[in-house]
Every structure is written in structure tokens, then in C-alpha cells.
């Protein structure tokens, strides 16, 4: 089946630094990828929809200048958390769907900002 | 009102028990419905799709009632390995993002 590779799986960074998370679709082209965030004991909340070759669409309340999304190719989308703060510590996960198939998730990135 | 609501639990049951989870969704235009399973600190994995006619996959049975915007999941003969969080998920149009409920935690003990 379709596979989405997400890296890194875990990252610890200092407050004020930026962190980049990558998601790659393997063996299929993903014109659209979805970025979610999950806080402990909470549901996955959609942050943004990443579209290849165009600007991402952000959900209400998600700062586009803080969470930079780049979808430069049909197989790669990146999420950069800029000037990270402890409240950004969370589980970030991407998802993509091969045409006609079910949604596939990356393995997630656990971000800890200290 | 949240788009997808679930009883968070936890549900603590012995092995062999039958357990039922319920879910309601607010958007009547939702078109696709799923149950996902999420283990601690892992990505969610598709358990099964849910259809109006109801569908069964081994010990798991899912039901959808569009009129009342209600989805259910029944697990029979619970196993220790069923311990996880079960996420109720809906989708508008194909290709749009999945909308997740908060999840219901199940703990099966021996």
C-alpha cells in the first residue's frame, strides 16, 4: 500500500529556534498533503492543507507565518515551526491520499521545545 | 459544537467482553466515515470504513445512521491487543482532510 515517510520522528529544540519536518510520499504522487497536530489526550487537529505548487490553506487560528509549509514537489511537503516555543511542543503528523485509496499517515514527529 | 464527538472513556473491560463505542458528527454533508485506531505515541491506522448498510470485519462491526448523524463500533470477544484509542473520523468530499474525534480509550485486561 501507499507509504508516507515522515522525519524526524523525534526532535528536541531550544526555544526560539526553528524546526523542519519532512513528509515524503513513497511510490505515489501526493498533490495534497494534510498537516495535523495532536496535544496529549486531544484529537488530531487539522493545521493546514498543503498543495503542490501553490500556497497552503491554513485552518482558523493557525499562524501561517509561524508554521511554514512548502510543497515544492509531488512527493515532498515540509512543515517548519519557526521561533518555536514550549507551547508548540506537540505531536505533528502528516497525511496524504493516493488517488482512489485510503488516507495514509506519516509516523509522526514528536516535538519538544525546551 | 465540535464536529465529531465521542465519549473519551476510558473503557476498562476484561478479555472476552463486548464493548460499544458511539460517535456523533455535526456536518450533515459528511460523506465518508471511518474508525481509526491509535496506539500510544503512534500514528492512527485505519480500522475500517463505515457504511450505512453496516459492515463487519471479524470481531468488529460498524454502523452508520445518517438520519441521526451517529456512528458506532462494536468489538466482540475483546483481546488484550485491542487496547488502544479508537478514533471516529468523518470526511466531507473525497480528497479533503479527515476530521477526527477526540478518541475513546479502551483498556482490555486479563
Amino acid at each position: 500500500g501507499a507509504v508516507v515517510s515522515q522525519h524526524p520522528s523525534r526532535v528536541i529544540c531550544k526555544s526560539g529556534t526553528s524546526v523542519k519536518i519532512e513528509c515524503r510520499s513513497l511510490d505515489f504522487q501526493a498533490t495534497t498533503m494534510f498537516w495535523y497536530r495532536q496535544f496529549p489526550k486531544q484529537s488530531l487537529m487539522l493545521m493546514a492543507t498543503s498543495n503542490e505548487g501553490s500556497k497552503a490553506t491554513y485552518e482558523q487560528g493557525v499562524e501561517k507565518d509561524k508554521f511554514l509549509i512548502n510543497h515544492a514537489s509531488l512527493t515532498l511537503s515540509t512543515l517548519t515551526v519557526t521561533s518555536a516555543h514550549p507551547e508548540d511542543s506537540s505531536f505533528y503528523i502528516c497525511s496524504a491520499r493516493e488517488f482512489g485509496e485510503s488516507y495514509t499517515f506519516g509516523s509522526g514527529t514528536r516535538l519538544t521545545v525546551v | 459544537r465540535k464536529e465529531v464527538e465521542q465519549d473519551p472513556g476510558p473503557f476498562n473491560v476484561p478479555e472476552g467482553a463486548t464493548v460499544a463505542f458511539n460517535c456523533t458528527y455535526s456536518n450533515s454533508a459528511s460523506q465518508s466515515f471511518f474508525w481509526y485506531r491509535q496506539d500510544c505515541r503512534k500514528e492512527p491506522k485505519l480500522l475500517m470504513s463505515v457504511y450505512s448498510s453496516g459492515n463487519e470485519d471479524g470481531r468488529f462491526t460498524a454502523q452508520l445512521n445518517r438520519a441521526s448523524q451517529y456512528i458506532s463500533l462494536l468489538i466482540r470477544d475483546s483481546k488484550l491487543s485491542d487496547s488502544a484509542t479508537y478514533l471516529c473520523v468523518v470526511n466531507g468530499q473525497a480528497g479533503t482532510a479527515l476530521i477526527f474525534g477526540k478518541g475513546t480509550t479502551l483498556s482490555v485486561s486479563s
Side-chain angles (χ1 to χ4, degrees):
Chain A
V3 175
V4 173
S5 175
Q6 183 171 347
H7 295 280
S9 58
R10 186 184 300 266
V11 58
I12 300 173
C13 70
K14 289 185 177 180
S15 187
T17 61
S18 295
V19 173
K20 180 185 282 189
I21 302 169
E22 291 190 352
C23 269
R24 291 182 185 275
S25 57
L26 306 182
D27 301 326
F28 74 99
Q29 295 180 336
T31 55
T32 301
M33 281 197 183
F34 306 100
W35 287 95
Y36 294 84
R37 177 170 57 182
Q38 185 178 34
F39 292 107
K41 299 189 186 299
Q42 300 295 316
S43 64
L44 279 77
M45 296 300 297
L46 179 67
M47 298 177 66
T49 301
S50 168
N51 302 297
E52 187 270 334
S54 64
K55 290 183 180 180
T57 304
Y58 290 81
E59 295 300 299
Q60 190 173 13
V62 178
E63 299 175 58
K64 62 181 182 182
D65 294 329
K66 180 170 180 63
F67 299 99
L68 301 179
I69 290 174
N70 185 284
H71 196 152
S73 78
L74 286 169
T75 59
L76 174 64
S77 177
T78 62
L79 168 67
T80 301
V81 183
T82 62
S83 186
H85 290 284
E87 57 265 31
D88 298 323
S89 298
S90 188
F91 185 60
Y92 293 85
I93 191 164
C94 62
S95 174
R97 178 175 173 264
E98 186 175 12
F99 183 78
E101 301 294 328
S102 60
Y103 292 77
T104 301
F105 287 83
S107 55
T109 298
R110 191 157 302 279
L111 170 64
T112 303
V113 185
V114 297
Chain B
R1 182 184 173 187
K2 293 181 180 175
E3 289 196 62
V4 181
E5 296 211 52
Q6 295 179 249
D7 179 348
F11 283 63
N12 299 304
V13 303
E15 276 186 290
T18 295
V19 61
F21 302 142
N22 304 317
C23 166
T24 57
Y25 60 96
S26 60
N27 186 352
S28 59
S30 299
Q31 297 191 6
S32 303
F33 309 88
F34 312 92
W35 283 100
Y36 275 72
R37 169 190 169 132
Q38 186 176 27
D39 292 285
C40 189
R41 297 175 173 263
K42 300 281 189 181
E43 74 275 20
K45 293 187 186 292
L46 178 65
L47 180 65
M48 58 198 302
S49 300
V50 189
Y51 305 109
S52 296
S53 55
N55 49 301
E56 187 174 308
D57 183 0
R59 298 181 292 108
F60 299 85
T61 301
Q63 294 276 356
L64 166 65
N65 185 319
R66 284 185 182 269
S68 55
Q69 296 178 206
Y70 171 90
I71 307 165
S72 67
L73 176 68
L74 183 75
I75 304 176
R76 292 181 298 278
D77 189 22
S78 299
K79 311 290 185 190
L80 293 175
S81 56
D82 293 334
S83 297
T85 297
Y86 290 83
L87 305 169
C88 180
V89 184
V90 303
N91 186 217
Q93 295 179 322
T96 59
L98 298 176
I99 306 299
F100 288 81
K102 196 172 177 179
T104 300
T105 301
L106 172 66
S107 178
V108 182
S109 57
S110 57

